[in-house]
Amino acid sequence: MNVHCSQSGRNFVSSILCIFAAMLFLPFMSIAYAEDEPIVVLPGIRIFDHSIDGRDVYFAGNSGEADSTVKLSVWNEANNQIKEIDIKPADHDVNGTYYQLLSVSQKSALLIRFQVKILNDRTFATQDLEEIDFTSMERKKIASYDPNETFFSLKDSFLMIYQNDESDAQSTRFALTNYDNNIIWEKTYLSKFTINDVISVPDGFVVLGAMNGCGYISKFDANGEMIWEKLIENCETIRKGKLNEDVIIFTGITEHNSLNNPCELSLGQISSDGNIDLMELDEKIYMVNLLAMENVDNNLFLLLLAKKGDNFLIEAIQLDHNLGYINHKTVVENADPVCTAQFVLINSNLYIAYSGATPMKTDRGYFKFRTPFSTYIYPYTSFDLKE
């Protein structure tokens, strides 16, 4: 008996054989990513922070919905797989909850839960240190803090900073705390400065922020003693910084900015003994907000929220080791103006994690953003950012 196969039948058989061959050789193939496309999507999570353990990246966030309990997603860079960690809800998780990931390992995570509550028409905030056990998936409250305290992760510890605004004698209190919530040292300074970032250095830490309408930078030793402080007059505030060998590269803005008032980005570097060098950029860079910065192979990468007409953009900018402009690329068009975005650096591989709601175009051409939020991870190599 002769069997005649149609062209569609032969195509179907060929497709099955191709799928089987792909499954057979997939473990030996490298993953190829489409240009400008995310390599993975984390649905239903708006990330606030991340921490890295080996090649596992732990993203902490929430859904952005009314039941804003903590969500943890783990992305393995080696096999590009996503795993959701099913965390049991805590009591009274409500919309307006923010999570900051202090540390993470394969066994547990330590995070700060900041929450805004409304009770009897009164608004107040709470702030708790929580531990999540990945074996039992239980959440345990370790301590409660004043909602005015801010936290910055340092090596094997975290820095708590409290600023008193209730009296004329304004003060700033620093407390270095280990992961068991034991205070190592405490220091109080009778001065008030806005703190935007804290950079860990081999002999202590450096604070970046603002004071009296100027950019502010100060250095402290490992015991919390201030070594020096500097004001930068032609910069309104210092936003972020990155350690690059023996200097810190910092970014600031020249004037107050908002969603409707983009401002010019300023860049500089400061040495360990406090010598400041403000840099002249080859091209002026305007932004609504500086979202992240990262240093890779002596190249500085910036992630900005920018504005073009009525729409917002996420832009990645690359500068060389002398802070000379190399190039930039629009990562996300029609970006959510209340998005979060971070660089993720794993073994010299740089990725961009962007969280935003879905844009919905109206009849007038404007974009509205509707939940649920999603997180998109892009490899920076897809943006032609290398020289």
Side-chain angles (χ1 to χ4, degrees), residues 13-29:
V13 173
S14 298
S15 299
I16 294 297
L17 292 175
C18 288
I19 293 172
F20 177 77
M23 293 175 63
L24 182 64
F25 291 103
L26 186 60
F28 307 100
M29 297 170 62

Side-chain angles (χ1 to χ4, degrees), residues 170-182:
Q170 294 180 332
S171 63
T172 301
R173 179 176 65 89
F174 296 89
L176 187 69
T177 306
N178 63 21
Y179 290 151
D180 293 326
N181 198 40
N182 297 318

Side-chain angles (χ1 to χ4, degrees), residues 68-194:
S68 296
T69 187
V70 62
K71 293 174 71 74
L72 278 180
S73 294
V74 186
W75 171 53
N76 184 274
E77 186 225 12
N79 57 27
N80 199 33
Q81 296 295 311
I82 292 292
K83 179 178 68 174
E84 301 290 337
I85 298 180
D86 187 17
I87 305 300
K88 295 181 179 178
D91 294 335
H92 311 300
D93 262 343
V94 296
N95 201 20
T97 303
Y98 175 91
Y99 301 99
Q100 179 182 353
L101 201 57
L102 295 177
S103 70
V104 69
S105 68
Q106 294 179 350
K107 295 181 180 179
S108 64
L110 200 65
L111 56 86
I112 294 291
R113 180 176 68 148
F114 180 88
Q115 190 172 69
V116 177
K117 299 180 180 180
I118 299 177
L119 183 63
N120 298 328
D121 296 327
R122 294 181 59 191
T123 302
F124 62 99
T126 62
Q127 192 161 225
D128 299 322
L129 176 67
E130 295 186 347
E131 182 181 36
I132 300 177
D133 187 300
F134 291 159
T135 301
S136 63
M137 295 302 172
E138 294 287 345
R139 295 171 63 168
K140 179 176 66 174
K141 184 170 76 171
I142 297 176
S144 294
Y145 299 107
D146 189 293
N148 292 317
E149 286 185 294
T150 54
F151 300 81
F152 295 91
S153 295
L154 299 177
K155 185 179 180 181
D156 300 325
S157 60
F158 58 93
L159 190 67
M160 295 188 299
I161 302 175
Y162 175 79
Q163 296 185 307
N164 180 18
D165 292 323
E166 297 179 356
S167 65
D168 294 334
Q170 294 180 332
S171 63
T172 301
R173 179 176 65 89
F174 296 89
L176 187 69
T177 306
N178 63 21
Y179 290 151
D180 293 326
N181 198 40
N182 297 318
I183 294 178
I184 301 171
W185 53 254
E186 253 181 299
K187 301 287 182 181
T188 299
Y189 292 90
L190 295 179
S191 61
K192 175 68 183 301
F193 38 85
T194 302

Side-chain angles (χ1 to χ4, degrees), residues 289-361:
N289 192 16
L290 174 65
L291 301 172
M293 63 183 295
E294 191 58 78
N295 182 33
V296 184
D297 298 331
N298 289 323
N299 279 212
L300 184 68
F301 294 86
L302 306 174
L303 203 57
L304 311 178
L305 178 65
K307 193 174 184 182
K308 184 177 181 180
D310 293 319
N311 296 331
F312 294 91
L313 313 170
I314 301 296
E315 294 195 337
I317 295 177
Q318 183 186 15
L319 306 174
D320 64 21
H321 65 282
N322 292 318
L323 301 187
Y325 177 87
I326 296 179
N327 54 29
H328 78 276
K329 175 82 174 187
T330 298
V331 182
V332 179
E333 295 181 341
N334 306 317
D336 187 345
V338 295
C339 67
T340 63
Q342 303 172 17
F343 282 124
V344 179
L345 180 61
I346 310 174
N347 299 328
S348 295
N349 295 324
L350 188 62
Y351 300 89
I352 296 168
Y354 162 81
S355 294
T358 303
M360 307 291 289
K361 196 168 185 178

